[in-house]
Amino acid sequence: MTGLQNTEIQPNLQKPHRKQPVWFLLLSFLFPMLFLSAGFAMQHVYPLGDRQILVVDFWHQYYPFLRLLHEKLQHGGSLLYTWNSGLGSDFVSMAAYYAASPLNLLTVLVPDAWLREAVTVLLLLKVGCAGLFFALFLKGTFHRNDFSLCVFSVCYALCSYMLGYYWNIIWLDTVALLPLVILGLVRLVRDGKCRLYGIALGLSLFSNFYIGLFTCIFVCLVFPCLCVLFLRPRQVPGRILAMGAYSLLGGMLAACVLLPAYFALQLTYSVRNVFPSHVEFYENWRVLLSNLLSFHAPTAKDGLPNLACGLLSLVMLGPFLRSLRIRIREKVLAVLLLGFLLISCNCNVLNYLWHGMHFPNMLPFRFSFLFSFVLLTVGYRGFWLLLEEQLRGWDVLAALAVSAAFFGLSYGVQENHAVFYSAAVMLLYVFLLALYLGKIFGKRLFYFGLSIVMVFELFENVRMGTELVSTSDHTTYPAGNGAVQQLLDEAAQQDSTLFYRTEMNTWYSLNDPALYGYAGLSQFSSMANVQVSKWMRALGLPASEAGNRYYYAGGTPVTNMFTGIRYQIFRSGTAADVRSWELLSTEGGSSLYRNTYDLPLGFWTEAALLDYNCLPDANPFENQNTLFRLATGVETPLFTAVRPSVGDSDGAEITYSGNSLFSYTLDTGAETHSMQLIYTVPEGASLYGYLSAANASSFSVLRDGERMADYSASKQPYLFPMGDFAAGETVALSVALQSESLSGMVRCDMYVLNRQALEKGYARLQSGAVTLTQFRDTAVTGTMTAVTDGLCYFSIPYEDGWKAEIDGNAVEIQPVGDAMIAVSVTKGSHTITLTYCPKGWKLGCSLTVGGIGILLCLFLLERRRKRPFLSPAEAQRKKQPKRMTSEEIYEKSQSNDGISGDAVSRISASAQCSDSAADRGGSPFSAAQ
């Protein structure tokens, strides 16, 4: 860390400002917003076009979860739990990762129809805050308040990290708050003022604990650097204690979300990562360093770390390293910190440690904004010397040398246009620097020329960034929403029960329940319970533990029973298994169906259900047979396998390889490629299929050559209904293959449903259905009658936060398959109550309240003392008489206040000596030693 100065260095004969203008801070806030708005305008983002900024996870996750928060804020509901995601989920931990930004509270002021536009405005505000807070950091650290704040703060707010990852709106708060955290740390070490550090750190951790982790690690790196620069050895222990105490205070302020999030993370897939067995480096170092140039597209999903933060900081690196007015220790610390961060962006072990003992999916090197922060601070340190008139002609040559070095490093490994454009811009910066040092340009003309070059650079970077990140269609998101909302309203009007679940026949996003606003099954979240993902995959739903997702795709009657799905909405097409779904209504091409084998949130099962072993890698039909048998006691297999044969193919050669596996080889000369698997039904039956085809784009079910149903292919294989067939009919599964892979394997299972076994088992389960008498987000009460001793199963994901009572007595909750909730019941009628409170929530809230109380006490104590805490160095300076500047001496000598000529001469000589010492000081840190 570098660039931190002591307040004693002032330009000669310059009066201190009595009132600090705020224009430069305001411009630092507005300029990044204007640049990014211009980028959005070029991409035709609404209202200047029909596009929107929702892409990738912003499209699938961030907006749907923000919509959940918006609904709770406007219409009420607990912030502890939500039923509109993943059969029910801890909302505190979800919000801690996706929606804890304090700015999100502003969305309560806008209606749901304008929420996407509000999110766009929030994104612009966060980018603006990044510029503002970096300007505050520079102002508070270097004690300057001029246009230079705007120059470097805009570079931070629009660095390649922000331009490549701005669609990860959930990260931006913590990135924006980093300068305030470090400014607070500077004040803690330099001045003994600790409050800003504790508050900023707490707000950073609260806004997003994941990126906040990077801030905490960075603080641990920066703190010893500051101690070396500012403190005498005897002062270090006290500052260590202060830093530790206020770090703990920052953690306390955010504990209400940190503790529940910590316990929720223990249930996710990410905790199962393995430490790298050996050290390796990802990229050639020239390639990595060439990414510091401008005029190339940033990384938006996969690629190199985003390191670029404006070419001016690279140019000023030369004067920083050459200047004799900067002490060696400052240069060494800056180079070491930059080097460590750069190595972290290229070393697998350090990358693993930075990401919290985890290798992330896509979006690599999520901590690389820290490198931009340090490089910009170093660049501003060199620029500060320029403004303080402490640079010389040799520094221009040093800036030119650094520019030439980066040109040589990048040529041949970076895109040519990026290399030559960057070289031209760096030469322009060096040229302006030379003109200013040569007194040819005044400060205003220098800033004017600097601004023109920088506007060109930033505009091009913003254009390439927004173009790479891209947009999505504004008018159709979410698809068929009007018709879906009407069908949801119809279901609510005709259903008198307190709770039920609904799903879509095909997914639009991977969080459709949160997006459309209904209690459902689907969830795609980094906080997803890995055991629930295994449960879903074992039942044949599309799910991935490593992908943190599971979602709905039709399933079977057993799937729908044990997940509590009562209604299904078809945005297009009709239900294939008509005996399992009853058509209720149609609206705008969409249809509402009710499950004829519906079971409520809870129902009686045999006690043997506790023996169910969830096997996600096993055959899902056999898993359902086992689950149904253990729950009902019906021994007759529910599903029986049939083997399809190879039918006609188009542009592909298909052979059966055994064990439901079919191999294929594509004809490179054919325009389309598909395969058909056929089966002739000997007697009337309901068929279900399971398809695993990584290279498939879609597949369809045909009855005697006529298309019955279409399905979307997925990276995750899943089980789907094929329909009801009469004896002698031919059913075919037609799979469209992509030409990306010329050969491969397809797994296809076809099973016949035993309807009699289904009816018998369903009747037993329905007889012990739970009738809900009270339902809230965090409390469920219902009555049920058990025909015999057994279990009461609930289609609620198992978490430690759930507590159960039967007839007023607390009972132990038992997990089924380590994924779902069940309680033991005896024969007879019972009242069962389930209540939920996230693990760690109460303790976390107590710590947060305690942290706020400590802050208030410290504030009142400071007010009572009527003066802030002073460091020993400041206290010593307070005791010394104030020295008069040369200008003040001159003004005093012209007045009739009785000062003798000899006195004036002595004071003037003393002031000149002081001014001369300031000129020779070289480093702004010298007075602190």
Side-chain angles (χ1 to χ4, degrees):
M1 185 63 195
T2 186
L4 310 172
Q5 68 150 335
N6 187 273
T7 59
E8 290 191 356
I9 301 297
Q10 295 286 347
N12 294 336
L13 304 178
Q14 180 178 345
K15 292 183 179 181
H17 294 288
R18 292 184 180 178
K19 292 185 179 180
Q20 295 283 328
V22 297
W23 289 110
F24 302 117
L25 297 178
L26 182 61
L27 291 176
S28 299
F29 175 72
L30 292 177
F31 280 161
M33 296 175 62
L34 292 175
F35 274 106
L36 192 56
S37 297
F40 289 161
M42 287 186 289
Q43 300 305 316
H44 308 289
V45 171
Y46 185 86
L48 300 178
D50 59 352
R51 310 298 294 172
Q52 63 181 5
I53 61 173
L54 275 61
V55 294
V56 199
D57 289 350
F58 198 175
W59 194 86
H60 280 289
Q61 292 181 294
Y62 311 155
Y63 179 78
F65 293 148
L66 180 58
R67 189 186 178 282
L68 280 181
L69 176 64
H70 181 257
E71 183 178 3
K72 287 178 177 292
L73 292 176
Q74 285 201 331
H75 305 292
S78 174
L79 294 175
L80 303 184
Y81 201 78
T82 178
W83 295 92
N84 287 15
S85 183
L87 298 182
S89 298
D90 170 16
F91 190 72
V92 175
S93 61
M94 182 185 292
Y97 190 82
Y98 291 104
S101 167
L103 291 176
N104 288 339
L105 298 176
L106 297 176
T107 62
V108 75
L109 303 175
V110 300
D112 187 69
W114 290 95
L115 185 57
R116 285 177 291 166
E117 287 66 45
V119 171
T120 304
V121 173
L122 290 183
L123 170 59
L124 294 174
L125 287 175
K126 293 179 182 186
V127 173
C129 286
L132 171 63
F133 295 158
F134 194 79
L136 286 170
F137 163 74
L138 295 179
K139 180 183 177 183
T141 301
F142 293 92
H143 300 288
R144 291 200 66 90
N145 189 31
D146 55 21
F147 192 72
S148 64
L149 302 183
C150 307
V151 172
F152 282 83
S153 62
V154 173
C155 289
Y156 179 73
L158 296 177
C159 65
S160 62
Y161 182 95
M162 298 290 272
L163 293 177
Y165 291 159
Y166 71 79
W167 56 273
N168 283 280
I169 189 173
I170 62 174
W171 295 354
L172 301 189
D173 297 77
T174 306
V175 177
L177 286 165
L178 173 69
L180 287 187
V181 175
I182 302 304
L183 175 59
L185 193 63
V186 170
R187 290 183 176 178
L188 185 151
V189 175
R190 185 183 65 189
D191 308 323
K193 299 177 180 179
C194 309
R195 193 164 56 204
L196 175 61
Y197 169 69
I199 295 174
L201 182 63
L203 188 58
S204 176
L205 291 170
F206 183 92
S207 298
N208 188 276
F209 68 86
Y210 180 58
I211 306 299
L213 169 66
F214 306 153
T215 300
C216 292
I217 298 174
F218 188 61
V219 162
C220 294
L221 296 175
V222 169
F223 178 73
C225 298
L226 296 179
C227 290
V228 170
L229 292 175
F230 284 124
L231 302 179
R232 298 183 179 92
R234 61 183 175 82
Q235 295 175 300
V236 173
R239 292 298 194 270
I240 292 176
L241 290 176
M243 186 265 192
Y246 276 84
S247 295
L248 182 61
L249 178 61
M252 290 177 64
L253 294 175
C256 59
V257 296
L258 290 181
L259 283 182
Y262 170 78
F263 289 114
L265 283 171
Q266 308 313 304
L267 304 176
T268 65
Y269 180 81
S270 60
V271 299
R272 292 158 175 79
N273 287 275
V274 179
F275 196 89
S277 59
H278 60 281
V279 177
E280 65 179 54
F281 294 93
Y282 300 118
E283 298 288 345
N284 178 282
W285 290 104
R286 285 186 63 197
V287 173
L288 196 66
L289 288 171
S290 71
N291 218 39
L292 282 164
L293 299 185
S294 291
F295 304 103
H296 63 85
T299 296
K301 296 178 185 177
D302 281 309
L304 294 170
N306 285 312
L307 302 176
C309 54
L311 296 170
L312 183 60
S313 57
L314 291 181
V315 171
M316 298 311 299
L317 188 61
F320 171 83
L321 294 175
R322 193 221 69 86
S323 177
L324 299 178
R325 300 175 184 275
I326 298 179
R327 290 176 303 164
I328 297 297
R329 73 176 70 175
E330 185 180 347
K331 297 177 183 179
V332 170
L333 291 173
V335 171
L336 287 177
L337 191 52
L338 284 171
F340 178 75
L341 291 172
L342 193 65
I343 294 172
S344 298
C345 290
N346 203 27
C347 176
N348 64 326
V349 173
L350 292 177
N351 183 38
Y352 180 83
L353 294 174
W354 271 103
H355 288 102
M357 312 293 282
H358 173 63
F359 286 120
N361 297 323
M362 297 199 313
L363 306 172
F365 314 107
R366 302 176 183 185
F367 56 89
S368 59
F369 68 96
L370 300 172
F371 181 89
S372 297
F373 176 84
V374 176
L375 182 59
L376 283 167
T377 305
V378 169
Y380 191 82
R381 177 71 170 96
F383 200 78
W384 182 88
L385 291 175
L386 171 69
L387 299 178
E388 294 291 319
E389 301 180 1
Q390 297 185 29
L391 289 186
R392 300 295 180 261
W394 286 105
D395 295 302
V396 176
L397 295 179
L400 188 62
V402 169
S403 302
F406 272 97
F407 177 82
L409 282 170
S410 304
Y411 185 75
V413 296
Q414 183 58 270
E415 301 172 11
N416 283 339
H417 76 275
V419 174
F420 288 111
Y421 273 42
S422 295
V425 168
M426 285 193 287
L427 286 177
L428 285 174
Y429 285 142
V430 174
F431 181 65
L432 291 171
L433 179 65
L435 292 177
Y436 180 73
L437 287 178
K439 307 298 184 181
I440 298 173
F441 275 7
K443 185 173 292 185
R444 289 187 178 181
L445 193 56
F446 172 65
Y447 275 141
F448 179 73
L450 203 65
S451 299
I452 292 177
V453 180
M454 184 165 287
V455 164
F456 169 72
E457 179 188 354
L458 292 176
F459 183 82
E460 279 298 299
N461 289 340
V462 169
R463 181 189 63 80
M464 287 186 290
T466 53
E467 188 176 279
L468 175 70
V469 172
S470 190
T471 56
S472 59
D473 185 65
H474 179 273
T475 56
T476 60
Y477 183 89
N481 186 52
V484 169
Q485 296 304 321
Q486 290 190 40
L487 293 176
L488 290 173
D489 290 341
E490 290 185 24
Q493 291 171 5
Q494 69 179 14
D495 200 312
S496 59
T497 55
L498 296 178
F499 177 80
Y500 55 85
R501 290 196 179 98
T502 307
E503 263 299 350
M504 303 280 191
N505 67 313
T506 58
W507 59 91
Y508 174 68
S509 74
L510 300 184
N511 283 297
D512 281 351
L515 180 60
Y516 288 93
Y518 59 80
L521 175 151
S522 303
Q523 184 180 83
F524 171 33
S525 167
S526 295
M527 308 301 292
N529 187 326
V530 67
Q531 294 301 135
V532 180
S533 298
K534 290 181 178 180
W535 172 273
M536 297 299 181
R537 190 157 68 90
L539 291 180
L541 278 80
S544 169
E545 294 94 306
N548 303 312
R549 67 192 66 182
Y550 49 90
Y551 42 106
Y552 190 76
T556 70
V558 176
T559 302
N560 296 319
M561 287 178 192
F562 282 86
T563 56
I565 305 299
R566 179 174 298 175
Y567 297 101
Q568 188 175 184
I569 294 177
F570 284 67
R571 289 195 305 272
S572 61
T574 57
D577 47 349
V578 294
R579 297 178 64 181
S580 298
W581 294 97
E582 175 190 2
L583 178 63
L584 297 181
S585 178
T586 59
E587 188 68 46
S590 298
S591 304
L592 176 67
Y593 287 82
R594 176 163 182 151
N595 184 7
T596 55
Y597 297 101
D598 163 52
L599 286 175
L601 185 64
F603 51 86
W604 172 91
T605 72
E606 295 281 359
L609 183 62
L610 290 176
D611 298 329
Y612 175 69
N613 187 11
C614 185
L615 301 173
D617 294 319
N619 185 311
F621 288 103
E622 298 304 329
N623 284 337
Q624 290 196 27
N625 278 342
T626 302
L627 180 67
F628 191 74
R629 174 177 56 81
L630 293 175
T632 64
V634 176
E635 296 294 334
T636 304
L638 191 61
F639 293 100
T640 305
V642 297
R643 187 169 72 85
S645 58
V646 178
D648 296 334
S649 60
D650 179 14
E653 181 179 348
I654 313 298
T655 56
Y656 180 63
S657 303
N659 297 323
S660 301
L661 295 176
F662 298 84
S663 60
Y664 65 84
T665 302
L666 302 185
D667 181 0
T668 56
E671 294 184 0
T672 60
H673 308 86
S674 65
M675 60 179 290
Q676 278 196 6
L677 305 175
I678 61 175
Y679 175 70
T680 301
V681 182
E683 58 185 26
S686 298
L687 285 178
Y688 292 83
Y690 179 80
L691 182 70
S692 176
N695 198 37
S697 58
S698 62
F699 56 96
S700 304
V701 177
L702 309 177
R703 183 204 304 268
D704 292 336
E706 180 180 351
R707 189 181 301 271
M708 288 183 59
D710 296 305
Y711 293 97
S712 299
S714 169
K715 292 181 180 180
Q716 288 79 39
Y718 64 91
L719 192 154
F720 56 93
M722 300 182 69
D724 295 316
F725 297 87
E729 286 186 322
T730 299
V731 57
L733 185 66
S734 178
V735 183
L737 299 171
Q738 298 175 342
S739 57
E740 296 177 358
S741 178
L742 298 180
S743 61
M745 303 291 293
V746 171
R747 174 187 171 186
C748 179
D749 294 290
M750 289 189 186
Y751 276 72
V752 174
L753 173 66
N754 186 321
R755 189 71 60 174
Q756 291 182 343
L758 175 65
E759 298 283 356
K760 182 178 179 181
Y762 173 68
R764 293 205 69 190
L765 299 179
Q766 190 183 40
S767 66
V770 173
T771 301
L772 296 181
T773 58
Q774 182 184 18
F775 182 87
R776 299 195 311 271
D777 285 347
T778 57
V780 177
T781 300
T783 60
M784 57 92 67
T785 299
V787 292
T788 62
D789 293 351
L791 293 176
C792 185
Y793 165 90
F794 289 90
S795 54
I796 300 174
Y798 175 77
E799 295 180 21
D800 286 340
W802 282 106
K803 306 297 179 184
E805 291 184 356
I806 297 181
D807 300 328
N809 300 313
V811 295
E812 180 184 0
I813 291 179
Q814 304 179 72
V816 176
D818 291 327
M820 295 293 158
I821 283 176
V823 292
S824 296
V825 294
T826 57
K827 180 180 179 179
S829 297
H830 302 282
T831 298
I832 302 177
T833 299
L834 299 176
T835 56
Y836 181 80
C837 181
K839 187 176 181 180
W841 167 251
K842 293 181 179 179
L843 176 59
C845 287
S846 300
L847 291 174
T848 296
V849 171
I852 295 173
I854 292 173
L855 272 179
L856 290 175
C857 291
L858 291 173
F859 175 76
L860 294 175
L861 181 62
E862 184 177 301
R863 288 288 300 272
R864 186 175 181 180
R865 294 170 60 184
K866 295 184 179 180
R867 61 185 180 88
F869 172 77
L870 297 178
S871 65
E874 284 185 314
Q876 185 65 27
R877 289 198 297 271
K878 288 275 186 181
K879 295 178 182 179
Q880 296 176 355
K882 180 182 177 181
R883 291 180 174 178
M884 301 172 65
T885 65
S886 300
E887 189 176 68
E888 290 173 334
I889 295 169
Y890 176 77
E891 291 178 356
K892 195 74 172 176
S893 66
Q894 301 302 312
S895 62
N896 296 322
D897 53 5
I899 297 181
S900 66
D902 291 341
V904 170
S905 299
R906 289 194 302 271
I907 297 173
S908 179
S910 175
Q912 288 173 4
C913 291
S914 177
D915 292 341
S916 177
D919 283 337
R920 296 192 306 268
S923 171
F925 301 102
S926 57
Q929 305 304 311

